[in-house]
Amino acid sequence: MSLYIGNLSYEVTQEDLSAVFAEYGSVKRVQLPTDRETGRMRGFGFVEMDTDAEEAAAIEALDGAEWMGRTLKVNKAKPREDRDSSGGNRRNNFSRRY
């Protein structure tokens, strides 16, 4: 499982985020999604830690904490929902009349 970190500064790096979370345990991976068009960071990221206990300690300490001029939002990441390839515009096959 991973942690969602919201309200990040656009200046943050993977190294910055890893260093902060390493205070609460072993960081396995850090992801900072970027905008496809601008290449700019999107203001949120994900951190994977070794154990649930380490993740819980990081959430307890960092959720609501101020860092780099921002108030962090830290919680368990929710699984990504699959997007329909048709753009989410599903049709009800029973609505046709013959």
Side-chain angles (χ1 to χ4, degrees), residues 5 20 51 61 89:
I5 299 84
V20 168
T51 68
N89 188 8

Side-chain angles (χ1 to χ4, degrees), residues 83-97:
R83 293 183 181 173
D84 187 344
S85 62
S86 65
N89 188 8
R90 295 182 184 164
R91 291 186 164 180
N92 181 350
N93 290 333
F94 299 106
S95 64
R96 285 194 225 172
R97 293 191 177 196

Side-chain angles (χ1 to χ4, degrees), residues 18-86:
S18 185
V20 168
F21 279 80
E23 295 180 30
Y24 304 97
S26 181
V27 175
K28 291 168 52 174
R29 189 170 111 177
V30 174
Q31 275 186 285
L32 293 173
T34 56
D35 184 274
R36 288 182 201 162
E37 294 179 17
T38 65
R40 188 173 115 159
M41 217 202 63
R42 295 177 64 194
F44 66 92
F46 300 94
V47 173
E48 279 185 44
M49 300 184 79
D50 269 341
T51 68
D52 287 342
E54 291 171 346
E55 288 181 351
I59 291 170
E60 179 70 29
L62 298 173
D63 186 39
E66 188 173 322
W67 184 55
M68 296 180 79
R70 301 279 190 119
T71 302
L72 296 179
K73 178 66 180 157
V74 182
N75 54 38
K76 287 271 193 186
K78 296 177 182 172
R80 186 174 180 169
E81 293 180 10
D82 288 335
R83 293 183 181 173
D84 187 344
S85 62
S86 65

